[in-house]
Every structure is written in C-alpha cells, then in structure tokens.
C-alpha cells in the first residue's frame, strides 16, 4: 500500500481546495489549557464550522447527498482501497496536519459492532496514526455512512496522559498482553483495552459494549473510540458518552457556543470554528462540557461492575 504521507502529498498536489485548508493549519491559533492535570489544546479552525454545525437529524440527512459515497465525492478526491471493505481518503477539512477519512465502500449506517478488529488492523498498518470512531450522536457529521478517521498520533494529548496515569486493571489474561483497565481521576472517563491481536481486542471490547447503556431510540451505546499501535500490539480507548452536545450548544443567545464534541475533543484538542468561542473557552468551560457529555466517575465505576469478563 502507498504510504499515507505519499498519498496525502499526491492528493494535495491534485486538489487545490484541500491544499489551501491543509496550508491554513499552519496559521491556526492554538492555546494550551490544563484541565484537572490533563493538558488540552484549543484550536481556532473556521474551516470546521460545517462539521461543528452539522445537522444530523433524519430529515436533514435525507435531504442532502452523502459526501462519503463515491458518486458524490469531488473528482479530485481519489482514494486507496483497504481491506476489501473501506477506502482511505484525505479529509479536505483537516484538524490534524495529516488527516484521513476512511469510509465503508457501501452506504451503511455508522455502527461499530463487528468492526473493532478492522479498526485495530488499521492502526497497525497506518503506523503513527490514531484511528478514531465517532458514534452517530457523538460527533459524526455523516451518521448515515460508516467511517473511521485517522490523524497523526503526536497531535492528541490523551495518549501521553494515559501513559502517565495510574490505570486500574479490571481484567488481564495470563499473558498480561490483553487487558481491560480504566483511568480514575482523569477529566474524561475512559476504558482502555490493550491487546496483542485484533481478535482478542475485539472480544474484550464486546464485553464493554454489552455493559454500556443504549439510549432510547439509538442503535448502539453512545461512544467515541480511539486506537493506536503500541510496542506490544494496540491500545483501544473507549469513551462512553451520555449526551450529543452540551446544553449551551448553539449560535444565538447569551452563553451559547458552537462546540460539538467528538473523539478529537475528548482526546485533548477542542475545536472552535468561531473566534468568540475560541476567546471565551477556558479550563472551566472544557470541564463543564466533559461533565455534560461524558460519564462521571460514579457512572463509569458502575458500568465497570457490570462488565462480564
């Protein structure tokens, strides 16, 4: 397979609009914040307003053409097939210096069950990239078309935060290479699956999946997932969610902010497409967002008790 870096470069040479957006990343404003000991970056990225403000209700999805389907993609957007099931594309509205979108070749709902092994294999083949999945009501701007995304791993702050954290192990096989843990004390509550094979990782994930609540009207538990390669295999981080957007999400009225948290945000990089939101957001506001959309310490501890391993 062509390397991701060569693929991205070839696409930027072919697609002026995407190149302009990638070039603009060099000039985006970023500020650093500390939230309960975890570093967060806040990125002012006006090009992401379409994603942050995406209408994902059934009527809006039905009214627009799916931008991930081959027949609707720009002629400049050429992909690389992967695994006989997916196609790797450049993301023309990047957050990362190297940002990919990886949709299923068919138009099928954004649902993760049966795809964790694919996600783990992707992380080992796209070395130095973090693969992530946004649930249909957890930041996915195309909840009607299954897709992963990927970005260079050194961009997010969650991985080094977990490396330094004191993880509480819930399960470990005799080899010690396949473990389920959670990270008490962090501002974002997560389960961590370390595995030496995609199949074993998927098996552990299924136990976590079965213990998570499914909100009424939803097809799967609300979650964000992030996966990257490690020296001994892969690390999969499960971020359970309880809300799509914070209560103050919006563009009109006092106190509203256009913040729609997805995997990137909960993993340490908050995206603000409007200058007033970038100026206003601080550590207390990030903590408020996480408290509203993610689980509390008590909630994740209760789920941990119900995981049948």
């Amino acid at each position: 397979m062509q390397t991701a870096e060569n693929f991205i470069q070839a696409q930027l040479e072919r697609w002026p609009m995407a190149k302009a957006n990638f070039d603009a990343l060099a000039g985006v404003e970023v500020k650093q914040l500390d939230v309960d000991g975890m570093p967060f970056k806040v990125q002012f990225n006006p090009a992401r307003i379409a994603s942050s403000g995406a209408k994902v209700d059934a009527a809006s999805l039905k009214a627009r053409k799916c931008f991930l389907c081959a027949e609707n993609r720009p002629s400049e957007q050429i992909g690389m097939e992967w695994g006989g099931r997916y196609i790797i594309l450049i993301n023309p509205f990047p957050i990362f210096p190297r940002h990919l979108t990886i949709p299923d070749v068919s138009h099928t709902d954004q649902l993760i069950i049966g795809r964790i092994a694919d996600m783990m294999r992707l992380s080992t083949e796209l070395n130095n990239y973090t693969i992530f999945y946004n649930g249909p009501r957890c930041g996915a701007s195309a909840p009607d078309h299954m897709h992963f995304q990927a970005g260079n791993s050194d961009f997010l702050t969650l991985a080094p935060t977990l490396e330094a954290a004191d993880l509480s192990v819930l399960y470990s096989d005799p080899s010690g290479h396949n473990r389920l843990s959670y990270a008490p004390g962090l501002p974002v509550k997560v389960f961590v699956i370390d595995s030496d094979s995609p199949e074993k990782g998927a098996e552990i994930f299924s136990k976590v999946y079965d213990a998570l609540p499914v909100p009424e009207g939803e097809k799967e538990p609300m979650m964000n997932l992030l996966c990257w390669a490690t020296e001994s295999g892969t690390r999969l981080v499960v971020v359970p969610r309880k809300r799509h957007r914070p209560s103050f999400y919006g563009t009109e009225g006092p106190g509203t902010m256009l913040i729609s948290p997805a995997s990137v945000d909960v993993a340490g990089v908050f995206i603000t497409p409007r200058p007033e939101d970038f100026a206003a957001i601080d550590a207390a506001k990030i903590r408020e967002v996480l408290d509203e959309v993610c689980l509390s310490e008590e909630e994740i501890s209760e789920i941990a008790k119900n995981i049948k391993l």
Side-chain angles (χ1 to χ4, degrees):
M1 184 176 75
Q2 183 183 14
T3 67
E5 286 70 22
N6 289 343
F7 168 68
I8 291 172
Q9 185 57 41
Q11 274 285 269
L12 296 183
E13 291 171 0
R14 174 188 176 94
W15 195 357
M17 185 272 284
K19 185 178 189 308
N21 287 339
F22 271 80
D23 288 346
L25 280 180
V28 298
E29 204 170 345
V30 177
K31 62 182 179 183
Q32 307 273 348
L33 299 171
D34 182 281
V35 182
D36 299 337
M38 178 174 170
F40 277 80
K41 294 181 276 190
V42 182
Q43 183 188 94
F44 170 46
N45 189 336
R48 295 295 298 182
I49 196 163
S51 180
S52 295
K55 294 181 179 180
V56 294
D57 59 282
S60 297
L61 293 175
K62 188 175 181 179
R64 62 102 168 109
K65 292 181 178 180
C66 177
F67 53 86
L68 294 179
C69 285
E71 61 270 23
N72 301 324
R73 296 197 297 261
S75 59
E76 298 93 340
Q77 192 174 32
I78 306 300
M80 294 191 297
E81 291 186 1
W82 185 86
R85 191 178 187 184
Y86 304 91
I87 186 161
I88 298 174
L89 304 169
I90 191 174
N91 190 316
F93 303 104
I95 296 169
F96 299 79
R98 301 190 299 277
H99 195 163
L100 302 168
T101 301
I102 308 161
D104 193 297
V105 294
S106 62
H107 187 78
T108 185
D109 286 347
Q110 179 84 336
L111 297 171
I112 195 61
I113 199 68
R115 296 180 184 268
I116 290 297
D118 293 342
M119 190 178 190
M120 290 186 160
R121 292 188 189 98
L122 264 170
S123 73
T124 58
E125 292 196 26
L126 288 175
N127 199 17
N128 299 319
Y129 281 75
T130 293
I131 313 300
F132 56 99
Y133 168 84
N134 294 322
R137 282 178 48 78
C138 298
S141 53
D144 54 337
H145 194 131
M146 172 62 207
H147 64 286
F148 298 112
Q149 293 185 66
N152 44 293
S153 289
D154 57 1
F155 186 75
L156 300 173
T157 66
L158 181 60
T161 298
L162 289 174
E163 285 294 329
D166 185 15
L167 299 182
S168 179
V169 177
L170 299 171
Y171 163 80
S172 178
D173 71 357
S175 72
H177 295 155
N178 297 283
R179 300 185 307 278
L180 171 65
S181 312
Y182 77 104
L186 296 185
V188 56
K189 313 308 177 189
V190 303
F191 291 107
V192 181
I193 297 169
D194 291 296
S195 180
D196 62 0
S197 84
E199 292 75 22
K200 291 176 182 176
E203 183 178 345
I204 296 173
F205 171 79
S206 70
K207 305 296 186 183
V208 177
Y209 182 97
D210 290 342
L212 294 174
V214 180
E216 185 176 353
E218 299 298 320
K219 295 180 180 179
E220 72 176 14
M222 295 180 71
M223 71 183 86
N224 299 110
L225 305 174
L226 301 104
C227 185
W228 58 89
T230 63
E231 289 184 3
S232 57
T234 55
R235 168 162 280 185
L236 173 68
V237 178
V238 182
V239 188
R241 295 276 296 268
K242 60 186 176 185
R243 187 171 182 153
H244 183 195
R245 288 162 169 164
S247 58
F248 48 86
Y249 173 86
T251 58
E252 298 180 3
T256 58
M257 301 180 82
L258 194 63
I259 293 177
S260 185
S263 294
V264 170
D265 306 79
V266 298
V269 181
F270 263 64
I271 306 302
T272 55
R274 302 193 309 172
E276 59 267 38
D277 296 336
F278 177 77
I281 196 167
D282 57 14
K285 184 58 69 173
I286 288 179
R287 189 181 301 109
E288 185 178 353
V289 173
L290 296 176
D291 285 346
E292 286 199 18
V293 305
C294 297
L295 300 189
S296 67
E297 195 82 59
E298 293 75 19
E299 288 167 328
I300 201 164
S301 296
E302 192 61 32
I303 288 170
K305 294 175 186 176
N306 295 325
I307 299 173
K308 296 178 172 59
L309 293 163

